[in-house]
Amino acid sequence: MKVLTLNFLTCAVKACKSTSTSFPLHPKDCELVSDTIEPNALLILNILPRIDWNALITTASELGFPTLPALPPTRDELESNEKMMSELHTLLLETQISEGSLVCGNCGHEYKIKEGIANFLLPNHLV
Amino acid sequence: MEYMIRFTQVHETFRLAEIHALAVLENMNLEILSYSPTSPFCFIKVPSEEAAIRLVRRSILAKSIYEVWGKGENYVEVHANVHNISSHLWPLYKDASFKFSFDAFQGSRTVTEQRKLIEGFHFLGFEGPIKMKGAEQDFCICEDWKFDAVGLGVLEPESIYLGRYLGGSERDIVGKYDLKKRKYICTTSMDAELALITANITLAAPGKLFYDPFVGSGSFPVAAAHFGALAFGSDIDGRSIRGKGKSNLLANFVQYGLTNQFGDSFVADLTNTPLRTARIFDGIVCDPPYGVREGLKVLGSRDSTKGKEVVFRDGKAHHEEDSYIPPKRPYSFLAMLDDILEFASISLVDHGRLSFWMPTANDQDQEIKIPQHPCLQITRSRRLITYRRIPDAEVVAGDARTERARENGVNADDLNPFRKGYFKGFKPILR
């Protein structure tokens, strides 16, 4: 599972969705792998406004990445800053969680990730 | 200037939808001058030759596009028309190498006849070398014959066109994505050609994010990825994503060299989606489970009063064990359609598109009413339904959403009139 995807996901429990603590999900005991993916500046620029930047800061620090700036770059800044573009590319698209789990900060439910595929099916008592 | 699209004569009902979508994608004005479902020749107006080439270059249902040099119902008329409308173009190609090809739709001409008809255009005054391979200019004589012309004893075509070839389409890739040659498929894999058409109609393109909530073996994400989108997918059945050994959803992306375009796949139920409420996707493409071949199920228990407590076995919470499989209950297909629309309205960016396939038992009848949502404008309906997410400012206020009553049935037949009809041979229960 990519870090980008993690930024789109929250707890599947309906009661959690409206709480601020359910997002982002917190990686736990995660194994990271890095894939080589061709740089795609257009994609990063399009993704930028859809990223929840504060959540990305949290995720990056929890996964042990260097601290991100407090505010997201603007489109123009990102276009002219090759280094930041490449760092975001590495973080969002190339970094993958292959094994581990994601924990909801509200209900504490753990979603397991196996071979890069996360399982968000809820047990009956949480549906 | 007038151009002629040479379509294939398959999936006729999707041809114009695809071309209109490609015009939106290429941001150009397109005017359809003449079109008939029974003919592969369609006349259009676009701003320039360059635009014409761009319009069809990623089409699946068009084969090629031509600059129109003349048309008529017989060769005398065509020759006169070529004199009238394109004589100013002849000198441009006077010294270019060229060839003539012949395209008789539903008809046939012997090589001798073809040659005679081609030589009829000697008045164009081309002096360049004739090259059957690698010619700079390719002119095509297109004949449109009546269906079953031979059987009816018809000797001449109904219409004849002369065109200068401008460019081809992506038609050839249909063979590359053929399911027969795909590494990993499942019982519900979508036909490659239809998946590619769907991706075109939903405007898949580089830099865009696409999502399929019923991903199965990944037919739609593969098609969206082919056109450059970053493709995501989820499914309530993790087995379809994980596959067996090396044969899994990701293997299809590997097979086609599309791993750069693979977003992610995860196991999730659309009615309990983990995706946060945000306008994330440019396109949502899916083939929802109709509940005929595969059961339409969502998380939960048939008896809603049961299973509200955590189950402990030998002191361990059962749901935390690896072997745990969450219970699922049958669900109404119509309610699922409403859920898809609601999800699309909150997840699509402005002008993003949602496309899904509707079950029909035959070509004539649409058994199920097309679902509607105030935020989603229908751009195409019939079998493949496409909506455009309109910006909030354009949403008509007070246009309350008419949601279908949630069926209260418990078993699959009660919940799903299509399934019920399907197994009862569509006697008039649905209408």
Side-chain angles (χ1 to χ4, degrees):
Chain A
M1 160 160 294
K2 291 182 199 301
V3 173
L4 171 67
T5 316
L6 191 49
N7 198 268
F8 295 155
L9 296 166
T10 175
C11 184
V13 177
K14 288 202 171 94
C16 285
K17 271 198 148 179
S18 52
T19 66
S20 57
T21 46
S22 65
F23 177 73
L25 296 170
H26 305 288
K28 184 183 154 193
D29 304 332
C30 281
E31 254 174 60
L32 297 185
V33 288
S34 184
D35 279 1
T36 308
I37 289 172
E38 247 170 63
N40 187 341
L42 175 67
L43 180 64
I44 298 284
L45 289 171
N46 284 350
I47 286 172
L48 186 66
R50 305 175 201 183
I51 293 280
D52 184 313
W53 192 258
N54 289 331
L56 187 64
I57 293 177
T58 310
T59 306
S61 78
E62 285 175 354
L63 291 176
F65 277 82
T67 313
L68 293 171
L71 289 172
T74 63
R75 193 183 169 94
D76 290 348
E77 279 166 13
L78 190 55
E79 258 179 327
S80 57
N81 189 339
E82 232 171 80
K83 186 168 167 276
M84 178 172 269
M85 184 71 97
S86 126
E87 279 171 5
L88 276 179
H89 173 75
T90 305
L91 175 66
L92 292 170
L93 298 171
E94 293 192 319
T95 307
Q96 306 240 25
I97 303 175
S98 62
E99 301 286 331
S101 39
L102 301 170
V103 185
C104 170
N106 189 53
C107 69
H109 187 70
E110 285 185 21
Y111 300 96
K112 291 207 172 74
I113 301 177
K114 279 182 199 159
E115 293 174 17
I117 300 165
N119 185 343
F120 288 96
L121 297 187
L122 296 170
N124 209 9
H125 66 276
L126 291 176
V127 174
Chain B
M1 187 71 203
E2 193 175 340
Y3 300 94
M4 179 181 82
I5 298 174
R6 168 61 158 100
F7 279 118
T8 54
Q9 204 58 30
V10 293
H11 302 305
E12 294 88 341
T13 51
F14 299 108
R15 301 190 302 189
L16 278 188
E18 191 197 38
I19 284 297
H20 278 298
L22 292 175
V24 171
L25 200 58
E26 297 288 347
N27 196 16
M28 67 174 74
N29 279 325
L30 164 71
E31 195 186 328
I32 305 286
L33 300 172
S34 77
Y35 173 81
S36 157
T38 55
S39 165
F41 305 109
C42 165
F43 292 85
I44 62 159
K45 217 163 147 180
V46 285
S48 66
E49 177 176 330
E50 175 271 332
I53 295 169
R54 270 195 294 132
L55 180 66
V56 302
R57 66 178 168 186
R58 49 173 277 187
S59 169
I60 299 299
L61 293 173
K63 280 166 121 172
S64 45
I65 190 154
Y66 296 88
E67 180 178 74
V68 178
W69 277 39
K71 45 184 160 178
E73 288 179 8
N74 54 55
Y75 277 91
V76 176
E77 269 184 41
V78 178
H79 290 170
N81 192 241
V82 172
H83 273 282
N84 276 338
I85 67 166
S86 60
S87 52
H88 64 288
L89 298 170
W90 307 352
L92 297 177
Y93 308 102
K94 188 166 168 257
D95 299 314
S97 62
F98 71 100
K99 75 165 191 176
F100 266 74
S101 30
F102 207 90
D103 181 357
F105 174 68
Q106 294 183 153
S108 69
R109 295 277 196 185
T110 63
V111 177
T112 324
E113 281 175 318
Q114 286 185 16
R115 192 174 182 129
K116 200 169 152 241
L117 293 168
I118 290 167
E119 279 167 359
F121 288 95
H122 71 276
F123 61 83
L124 294 170
F126 294 154
E127 290 171 10
I130 296 168
K131 280 190 186 168
M132 291 319 281
K133 265 190 185 161
E136 287 166 66
Q137 300 299 332
D138 178 356
F139 295 88
C140 187
I141 300 169
C142 302
E143 292 186 343
D144 198 350
W145 289 69
K146 200 179 169 68
F147 177 67
D148 194 24
V150 179
L152 298 167
V154 178
L155 297 173
E156 292 297 325
E158 291 187 311
S159 320
I160 302 151
Y161 317 109
L162 177 68
R164 183 172 71 88
Y165 179 88
L166 299 179
S169 71
E170 284 250 75
R171 176 91 198 138
D172 292 346
I173 60 150
V174 173
K176 173 184 164 190
Y177 286 98
D178 190 348
L179 289 184
K180 286 179 201 154
K181 293 180 241 162
R182 191 170 296 182
K183 288 248 163 69
Y184 176 60
I185 55 172
C186 59
T187 51
T188 51
S189 291
M190 189 63 168
D191 174 68
E193 183 170 358
L194 292 176
L196 289 161
I197 296 165
T198 313
N200 260 342
I201 291 176
T202 321
L203 313 180
K208 290 189 175 183
L209 303 183
F210 266 59
Y211 175 56
D212 179 353
F214 308 99
V215 71
S217 63
S219 309
F220 286 120
V222 162
H226 168 79
F227 292 115
L230 188 69
F232 294 81
S234 69
D235 205 295
I236 194 169
D237 186 355
R239 291 171 302 181
S240 72
I241 296 173
R242 287 189 288 266
K244 251 186 188 163
K246 283 200 171 141
S247 155
N248 53 32
L249 194 155
L250 187 57
N252 288 338
F253 283 78
V254 174
Q255 178 185 358
Y256 299 121
L258 294 172
T259 43
N260 288 332
Q261 257 53 58
F262 177 72
D264 242 317
S265 56
F266 49 91
V267 185
D269 168 22
L270 186 68
T271 63
N272 290 280
T273 181
L275 284 158
R276 68 181 161 96
T277 310
R279 312 279 291 272
I280 291 171
F281 298 110
D282 297 275
I284 297 172
V285 192
C286 61
D287 190 17
Y290 311 135
V292 175
R293 186 184 270 281
E294 66 303 272
L296 172 49
K297 298 216 165 156
V298 296
L299 289 175
S301 165
R302 263 174 212 258
D303 182 345
S304 57
T305 57
K306 277 190 185 160
K308 293 293 153 202
E309 305 290 322
V310 180
V311 178
F312 285 93
R313 279 188 190 168
D314 306 327
K316 270 189 183 167
H318 183 42
H319 69 271
E320 284 172 6
E321 287 171 41
D322 280 350
S323 59
Y324 177 76
I325 297 167
K328 300 181 186 80
R329 66 184 169 99
Y331 195 58
S332 151
F333 176 63
L334 302 178
M336 181 61 95
L337 289 180
D338 282 337
D339 293 340
I340 295 170
L341 260 62
E342 184 58 30
F343 174 76
S345 79
I346 58 176
S347 307
L348 284 175
V349 299
D350 282 350
H351 308 295
R353 287 192 177 193
L354 158 71
S355 292
F356 60 82
W357 288 79
M358 280 281 259
T360 51
N362 52 45
D363 276 352
Q364 276 77 47
D365 304 307
Q366 178 84 55
E367 281 84 18
I368 296 166
K369 213 176 130 226
I370 295 161
Q372 300 200 18
H373 192 288
C375 296
L376 300 169
Q377 182 190 59
I378 297 172
T379 58
R380 202 210 121 76
S381 62
R382 243 194 99 72
R383 288 191 285 175
L384 173 64
I385 321 254
T386 302
Y387 303 81
R388 179 176 71 99
R389 172 62 161 97
I390 52 179
D392 285 339
E394 288 173 29
V395 177
V396 181
D399 195 0
R401 184 161 173 238
T402 47
E403 205 162 330
R404 270 181 256 261
R406 303 264 152 170
E407 271 92 334
N408 292 319
V410 182
N411 69 41
D413 269 1
D414 291 343
L415 288 164
N416 189 342
F418 182 77
R419 179 195 158 88
K420 195 171 180 174
Y422 183 90
F423 287 115
K424 295 195 171 153
F426 287 103
K427 303 213 174 79
I429 47 154
L430 287 169
R431 277 156 244 158

PDB file of all heavy atoms in Angstrom, chain B residues 290-317:
ATOM      1  N   TYR B 290     -24.295  -7.865 -10.264  1.00  0.00           N
ATOM      2  CA  TYR B 290     -25.746  -7.866 -10.475  1.00  0.00           C
ATOM      3  C   TYR B 290     -26.435  -8.888  -9.587  1.00  0.00           C
ATOM      4  O   TYR B 290     -27.637  -8.954  -9.543  1.00  0.00           O
ATOM      5  CB  TYR B 290     -26.072  -8.208 -11.933  1.00  0.00           C
ATOM      6  CG  TYR B 290     -25.291  -7.404 -12.929  1.00  0.00           C
ATOM      7  CD1 TYR B 290     -24.702  -7.993 -14.032  1.00  0.00           C
ATOM      8  CD2 TYR B 290     -25.148  -6.034 -12.746  1.00  0.00           C
ATOM      9  CE1 TYR B 290     -23.988  -7.248 -14.946  1.00  0.00           C
ATOM     10  CE2 TYR B 290     -24.424  -5.285 -13.653  1.00  0.00           C
ATOM     11  CZ  TYR B 290     -23.847  -5.898 -14.747  1.00  0.00           C
ATOM     12  OH  TYR B 290     -23.134  -5.157 -15.639  1.00  0.00           O
ATOM     13  N   GLY B 291     -25.632  -9.697  -8.949  1.00  0.00           N
ATOM     14  CA  GLY B 291     -26.216 -10.691  -8.071  1.00  0.00           C
ATOM     15  C   GLY B 291     -26.693 -11.918  -8.809  1.00  0.00           C
ATOM     16  O   GLY B 291     -27.442 -12.712  -8.265  1.00  0.00           O
ATOM     17  N   VAL B 292     -26.302 -12.084 -10.077  1.00  0.00           N
ATOM     18  CA  VAL B 292     -26.713 -13.281 -10.800  1.00  0.00           C
ATOM     19  C   VAL B 292     -25.589 -14.306 -10.766  1.00  0.00           C
ATOM     20  O   VAL B 292     -25.735 -15.404 -10.247  1.00  0.00           O
ATOM     21  CB  VAL B 292     -27.098 -12.946 -12.255  1.00  0.00           C
ATOM     22  CG1 VAL B 292     -27.400 -14.214 -13.028  1.00  0.00           C
ATOM     23  CG2 VAL B 292     -28.304 -12.024 -12.268  1.00  0.00           C
ATOM     24  N   ARG B 293     -24.450 -13.919 -11.278  1.00  0.00           N
ATOM     25  CA  ARG B 293     -23.315 -14.842 -11.277  1.00  0.00           C
ATOM     26  C   ARG B 293     -22.643 -14.856  -9.903  1.00  0.00           C
ATOM     27  O   ARG B 293     -22.363 -15.898  -9.345  1.00  0.00           O
ATOM     28  CB  ARG B 293     -22.303 -14.418 -12.336  1.00  0.00           C
ATOM     29  CG  ARG B 293     -21.172 -15.405 -12.499  1.00  0.00           C
ATOM     30  CD  ARG B 293     -20.171 -14.871 -13.478  1.00  0.00           C
ATOM     31  NE  ARG B 293     -20.452 -15.272 -14.847  1.00  0.00           N
ATOM     32  CZ  ARG B 293     -20.156 -16.463 -15.352  1.00  0.00           C
ATOM     33  NH1 ARG B 293     -19.608 -17.381 -14.590  1.00  0.00           N
ATOM     34  NH2 ARG B 293     -20.400 -16.740 -16.598  1.00  0.00           N
ATOM     35  N   GLU B 294     -22.370 -13.686  -9.393  1.00  0.00           N
ATOM     36  CA  GLU B 294     -21.761 -13.593  -8.075  1.00  0.00           C
ATOM     37  C   GLU B 294     -22.795 -12.976  -7.137  1.00  0.00           C
ATOM     38  O   GLU B 294     -23.523 -12.079  -7.520  1.00  0.00           O
ATOM     39  CB  GLU B 294     -20.466 -12.770  -8.130  1.00  0.00           C
ATOM     40  CG  GLU B 294     -20.599 -11.291  -8.463  1.00  0.00           C
ATOM     41  CD  GLU B 294     -21.289 -11.023  -9.794  1.00  0.00           C
ATOM     42  OE1 GLU B 294     -20.635 -10.979 -10.821  1.00  0.00           O
ATOM     43  OE2 GLU B 294     -22.524 -10.858  -9.774  1.00  0.00           O
ATOM     44  N   GLY B 295     -22.867 -13.477  -5.925  1.00  0.00           N
ATOM     45  CA  GLY B 295     -23.845 -12.938  -4.999  1.00  0.00           C
ATOM     46  C   GLY B 295     -23.502 -11.504  -4.666  1.00  0.00           C
ATOM     47  O   GLY B 295     -22.341 -11.154  -4.541  1.00  0.00           O
ATOM     48  N   LEU B 296     -24.523 -10.658  -4.575  1.00  0.00           N
ATOM     49  CA  LEU B 296     -24.274  -9.279  -4.164  1.00  0.00           C
ATOM     50  C   LEU B 296     -24.351  -9.230  -2.652  1.00  0.00           C
ATOM     51  O   LEU B 296     -25.412  -9.400  -2.070  1.00  0.00           O
ATOM     52  CB  LEU B 296     -25.325  -8.365  -4.813  1.00  0.00           C
ATOM     53  CG  LEU B 296     -25.345  -6.912  -4.357  1.00  0.00           C
ATOM     54  CD1 LEU B 296     -23.962  -6.297  -4.385  1.00  0.00           C
ATOM     55  CD2 LEU B 296     -26.269  -6.116  -5.221  1.00  0.00           C
ATOM     56  N   LYS B 297     -23.199  -9.042  -2.042  1.00  0.00           N
ATOM     57  CA  LYS B 297     -23.173  -9.070  -0.586  1.00  0.00           C
ATOM     58  C   LYS B 297     -22.436  -7.867  -0.029  1.00  0.00           C
ATOM     59  O   LYS B 297     -21.538  -7.334  -0.677  1.00  0.00           O
ATOM     60  CB  LYS B 297     -22.486 -10.350  -0.102  1.00  0.00           C
ATOM     61  CG  LYS B 297     -23.228 -11.602  -0.542  1.00  0.00           C
ATOM     62  CD  LYS B 297     -23.170 -12.670   0.505  1.00  0.00           C
ATOM     63  CE  LYS B 297     -24.198 -13.733   0.190  1.00  0.00           C
ATOM     64  NZ  LYS B 297     -23.868 -15.019   0.778  1.00  0.00           N
ATOM     65  N   VAL B 298     -22.820  -7.483   1.151  1.00  0.00           N
ATOM     66  CA  VAL B 298     -22.101  -6.433   1.871  1.00  0.00           C
ATOM     67  C   VAL B 298     -21.837  -6.935   3.285  1.00  0.00           C
ATOM     68  O   VAL B 298     -22.364  -7.972   3.685  1.00  0.00           O
ATOM     69  CB  VAL B 298     -22.908  -5.108   1.924  1.00  0.00           C
ATOM     70  CG1 VAL B 298     -23.112  -4.545   0.535  1.00  0.00           C
ATOM     71  CG2 VAL B 298     -24.228  -5.303   2.636  1.00  0.00           C
ATOM     72  N   LEU B 299     -21.048  -6.186   4.028  1.00  0.00           N
ATOM     73  CA  LEU B 299     -20.735  -6.597   5.393  1.00  0.00           C
ATOM     74  C   LEU B 299     -21.983  -6.547   6.248  1.00  0.00           C
ATOM     75  O   LEU B 299     -22.865  -5.712   6.055  1.00  0.00           O
ATOM     76  CB  LEU B 299     -19.677  -5.653   5.994  1.00  0.00           C
ATOM     77  CG  LEU B 299     -18.264  -5.779   5.423  1.00  0.00           C
ATOM     78  CD1 LEU B 299     -17.382  -4.705   6.023  1.00  0.00           C
ATOM     79  CD2 LEU B 299     -17.691  -7.160   5.707  1.00  0.00           C
ATOM     80  N   GLY B 300     -22.039  -7.431   7.212  1.00  0.00           N
ATOM     81  CA  GLY B 300     -23.161  -7.446   8.132  1.00  0.00           C
ATOM     82  C   GLY B 300     -23.729  -8.836   8.232  1.00  0.00           C
ATOM     83  O   GLY B 300     -23.293  -9.757   7.554  1.00  0.00           O
ATOM     84  N   SER B 301     -24.734  -8.944   9.080  1.00  0.00           N
ATOM     85  CA  SER B 301     -25.306 -10.238   9.323  1.00  0.00           C
ATOM     86  C   SER B 301     -26.752 -10.212   8.829  1.00  0.00           C
ATOM     87  O   SER B 301     -27.415  -9.185   8.875  1.00  0.00           O
ATOM     88  CB  SER B 301     -25.208 -10.493  10.827  1.00  0.00           C
ATOM     89  OG  SER B 301     -26.015 -11.523  11.188  1.00  0.00           O
ATOM     90  N   ARG B 302     -27.234 -11.336   8.296  1.00  0.00           N
ATOM     91  CA  ARG B 302     -28.609 -11.400   7.803  1.00  0.00           C
ATOM     92  C   ARG B 302     -29.592 -10.927   8.867  1.00  0.00           C
ATOM     93  O   ARG B 302     -30.537 -10.217   8.595  1.00  0.00           O
ATOM     94  CB  ARG B 302     -28.957 -12.851   7.444  1.00  0.00           C
ATOM     95  CG  ARG B 302     -28.801 -13.151   5.993  1.00  0.00           C
ATOM     96  CD  ARG B 302     -29.031 -14.633   5.780  1.00  0.00           C
ATOM     97  NE  ARG B 302     -28.214 -15.106   4.682  1.00  0.00           N
ATOM     98  CZ  ARG B 302     -28.686 -15.336   3.449  1.00  0.00           C
ATOM     99  NH1 ARG B 302     -29.954 -15.154   3.187  1.00  0.00           N
ATOM    100  NH2 ARG B 302     -27.904 -15.737   2.503  1.00  0.00           N
ATOM    101  N   ASP B 303     -29.333 -11.368  10.075  1.00  0.00           N
ATOM    102  CA  ASP B 303     -30.185 -10.962  11.185  1.00  0.00           C
ATOM    103  C   ASP B 303     -29.485  -9.780  11.860  1.00  0.00           C
ATOM    104  O   ASP B 303     -28.481  -9.942  12.539  1.00  0.00           O
ATOM    105  CB  ASP B 303     -30.337 -12.145  12.149  1.00  0.00           C
ATOM    106  CG  ASP B 303     -31.264 -11.790  13.303  1.00  0.00           C
ATOM    107  OD1 ASP B 303     -31.528 -10.584  13.486  1.00  0.00           O
ATOM    108  OD2 ASP B 303     -31.710 -12.711  14.008  1.00  0.00           O
ATOM    109  N   SER B 304     -30.046  -8.592  11.671  1.00  0.00           N
ATOM    110  CA  SER B 304     -29.339  -7.383  12.110  1.00  0.00           C
ATOM    111  C   SER B 304     -29.232  -7.301  13.630  1.00  0.00           C
ATOM    112  O   SER B 304     -28.510  -6.467  14.162  1.00  0.00           O
ATOM    113  CB  SER B 304     -30.034  -6.145  11.555  1.00  0.00           C
ATOM    114  OG  SER B 304     -31.371  -6.141  11.979  1.00  0.00           O
ATOM    115  N   THR B 305     -29.989  -8.146  14.351  1.00  0.00           N
ATOM    116  CA  THR B 305     -29.893  -8.087  15.809  1.00  0.00           C
ATOM    117  C   THR B 305     -28.729  -8.920  16.328  1.00  0.00           C
ATOM    118  O   THR B 305     -28.324  -8.809  17.468  1.00  0.00           O
ATOM    119  CB  THR B 305     -31.186  -8.618  16.457  1.00  0.00           C
ATOM    120  OG1 THR B 305     -31.393  -9.955  15.983  1.00  0.00           O
ATOM    121  CG2 THR B 305     -32.372  -7.737  16.106  1.00  0.00           C
ATOM    122  N   LYS B 306     -28.169  -9.759  15.429  1.00  0.00           N
ATOM    123  CA  LYS B 306     -27.110 -10.665  15.878  1.00  0.00           C
ATOM    124  C   LYS B 306     -25.714 -10.074  15.684  1.00  0.00           C
ATOM    125  O   LYS B 306     -25.519  -9.180  14.867  1.00  0.00           O
ATOM    126  CB  LYS B 306     -27.195 -11.967  15.092  1.00  0.00           C
ATOM    127  CG  LYS B 306     -28.213 -12.933  15.644  1.00  0.00           C
ATOM    128  CD  LYS B 306     -28.048 -14.264  14.967  1.00  0.00           C
ATOM    129  CE  LYS B 306     -29.157 -15.215  15.438  1.00  0.00           C
ATOM    130  NZ  LYS B 306     -29.324 -16.309  14.510  1.00  0.00           N
ATOM    131  N   GLY B 307     -24.758 -10.609  16.401  1.00  0.00           N
ATOM    132  CA  GLY B 307     -23.358 -10.297  16.158  1.00  0.00           C
ATOM    133  C   GLY B 307     -22.934  -8.914  16.574  1.00  0.00           C
ATOM    134  O   GLY B 307     -22.014  -8.349  16.015  1.00  0.00           O
ATOM    135  N   LYS B 308     -23.614  -8.350  17.548  1.00  0.00           N
ATOM    136  CA  LYS B 308     -23.224  -7.010  17.981  1.00  0.00           C
ATOM    137  C   LYS B 308     -22.148  -7.061  19.076  1.00  0.00           C
ATOM    138  O   LYS B 308     -21.664  -6.043  19.534  1.00  0.00           O
ATOM    139  CB  LYS B 308     -24.453  -6.243  18.482  1.00  0.00           C
ATOM    140  CG  LYS B 308     -25.454  -5.929  17.378  1.00  0.00           C
ATOM    141  CD  LYS B 308     -24.875  -4.927  16.380  1.00  0.00           C
ATOM    142  CE  LYS B 308     -25.508  -5.097  15.015  1.00  0.00           C
ATOM    143  NZ  LYS B 308     -24.707  -4.574  13.919  1.00  0.00           N
ATOM    144  N   GLU B 309     -21.851  -8.258  19.532  1.00  0.00           N
ATOM    145  CA  GLU B 309     -20.845  -8.414  20.582  1.00  0.00           C
ATOM    146  C   GLU B 309     -19.580  -9.043  19.997  1.00  0.00           C
ATOM    147  O   GLU B 309     -19.647  -9.796  19.043  1.00  0.00           O
ATOM    148  CB  GLU B 309     -21.378  -9.358  21.685  1.00  0.00           C
ATOM    149  CG  GLU B 309     -22.710  -8.937  22.275  1.00  0.00           C
ATOM    150  CD  GLU B 309     -22.596  -7.690  23.123  1.00  0.00           C
ATOM    151  OE1 GLU B 309     -21.566  -7.560  23.827  1.00  0.00           O
ATOM    152  OE2 GLU B 309     -23.502  -6.834  23.060  1.00  0.00           O
ATOM    153  N   VAL B 310     -18.454  -8.710  20.609  1.00  0.00           N
ATOM    154  CA  VAL B 310     -17.205  -9.337  20.197  1.00  0.00           C
ATOM    155  C   VAL B 310     -17.228 -10.797  20.649  1.00  0.00           C
ATOM    156  O   VAL B 310     -17.632 -11.096  21.769  1.00  0.00           O
ATOM    157  CB  VAL B 310     -16.002  -8.604  20.841  1.00  0.00           C
ATOM    158  CG1 VAL B 310     -14.695  -9.242  20.428  1.00  0.00           C
ATOM    159  CG2 VAL B 310     -16.031  -7.136  20.479  1.00  0.00           C
ATOM    160  N   VAL B 311     -16.831 -11.675  19.745  1.00  0.00           N
ATOM    161  CA  VAL B 311     -16.825 -13.099  20.087  1.00  0.00           C
ATOM    162  C   VAL B 311     -15.438 -13.492  20.577  1.00  0.00           C
ATOM    163  O   VAL B 311     -14.436 -13.197  19.924  1.00  0.00           O
ATOM    164  CB  VAL B 311     -17.202 -13.947  18.856  1.00  0.00           C
ATOM    165  CG1 VAL B 311     -17.162 -15.434  19.174  1.00  0.00           C
ATOM    166  CG2 VAL B 311     -18.567 -13.534  18.337  1.00  0.00           C
ATOM    167  N   PHE B 312     -15.392 -14.115  21.731  1.00  0.00           N
ATOM    168  CA  PHE B 312     -14.110 -14.591  22.247  1.00  0.00           C
ATOM    169  C   PHE B 312     -14.037 -16.102  22.157  1.00  0.00           C
ATOM    170  O   PHE B 312     -15.009 -16.791  22.471  1.00  0.00           O
ATOM    171  CB  PHE B 312     -13.932 -14.153  23.708  1.00  0.00           C
ATOM    172  CG  PHE B 312     -13.610 -12.693  23.831  1.00  0.00           C
ATOM    173  CD1 PHE B 312     -14.632 -11.754  24.023  1.00  0.00           C
ATOM    174  CD2 PHE B 312     -12.297 -12.233  23.736  1.00  0.00           C
ATOM    175  CE1 PHE B 312     -14.341 -10.400  24.119  1.00  0.00           C
ATOM    176  CE2 PHE B 312     -12.004 -10.883  23.836  1.00  0.00           C
ATOM    177  CZ  PHE B 312     -13.035  -9.962  24.021  1.00  0.00           C
ATOM    178  N   ARG B 313     -12.914 -16.580  21.678  1.00  0.00           N
ATOM    179  CA  ARG B 313     -12.706 -18.035  21.644  1.00  0.00           C
ATOM    180  C   ARG B 313     -11.383 -18.328  22.315  1.00  0.00           C
ATOM    181  O   ARG B 313     -10.365 -17.763  21.910  1.00  0.00           O
ATOM    182  CB  ARG B 313     -12.639 -18.532  20.206  1.00  0.00           C
ATOM    183  CG  ARG B 313     -14.000 -18.698  19.603  1.00  0.00           C
ATOM    184  CD  ARG B 313     -13.890 -19.388  18.253  1.00  0.00           C
ATOM    185  NE  ARG B 313     -15.175 -19.317  17.596  1.00  0.00           N
ATOM    186  CZ  ARG B 313     -15.378 -19.619  16.331  1.00  0.00           C
ATOM    187  NH1 ARG B 313     -14.366 -19.987  15.576  1.00  0.00           N
ATOM    188  NH2 ARG B 313     -16.572 -19.534  15.811  1.00  0.00           N
ATOM    189  N   ASP B 314     -11.390 -19.160  23.296  1.00  0.00           N
ATOM    190  CA  ASP B 314     -10.191 -19.466  24.080  1.00  0.00           C
ATOM    191  C   ASP B 314      -9.503 -18.182  24.542  1.00  0.00           C
ATOM    192  O   ASP B 314      -8.277 -18.051  24.453  1.00  0.00           O
ATOM    193  CB  ASP B 314      -9.189 -20.319  23.267  1.00  0.00           C
ATOM    194  CG  ASP B 314      -9.853 -21.570  22.723  1.00  0.00           C
ATOM    195  OD1 ASP B 314     -10.758 -22.076  23.419  1.00  0.00           O
ATOM    196  OD2 ASP B 314      -9.494 -21.998  21.616  1.00  0.00           O
ATOM    197  N   GLY B 315     -10.294 -17.220  24.949  1.00  0.00           N
ATOM    198  CA  GLY B 315      -9.732 -15.983  25.490  1.00  0.00           C
ATOM    199  C   GLY B 315      -9.224 -15.019  24.433  1.00  0.00           C
ATOM    200  O   GLY B 315      -8.727 -13.949  24.748  1.00  0.00           O
ATOM    201  N   LYS B 316      -9.373 -15.357  23.141  1.00  0.00           N
ATOM    202  CA  LYS B 316      -8.902 -14.458  22.088  1.00  0.00           C
ATOM    203  C   LYS B 316     -10.095 -13.880  21.349  1.00  0.00           C
ATOM    204  O   LYS B 316     -11.076 -14.588  21.101  1.00  0.00           O
ATOM    205  CB  LYS B 316      -8.072 -15.263  21.072  1.00  0.00           C
ATOM    206  CG  LYS B 316      -6.602 -15.332  21.376  1.00  0.00           C
ATOM    207  CD  LYS B 316      -5.961 -15.952  20.151  1.00  0.00           C
ATOM    208  CE  LYS B 316      -4.481 -16.165  20.277  1.00  0.00           C
ATOM    209  NZ  LYS B 316      -4.047 -17.045  19.182  1.00  0.00           N
ATOM    210  N   ALA B 317      -9.982 -12.603  21.015  1.00  0.00           N
ATOM    211  CA  ALA B 317     -11.053 -12.017  20.217  1.00  0.00           C
ATOM    212  C   ALA B 317     -11.012 -12.676  18.842  1.00  0.00           C
ATOM    213  O   ALA B 317      -9.993 -12.635  18.157  1.00  0.00           O
ATOM    214  CB  ALA B 317     -10.871 -10.512  20.101  1.00  0.00           C
TER     215      ALA B 317
END
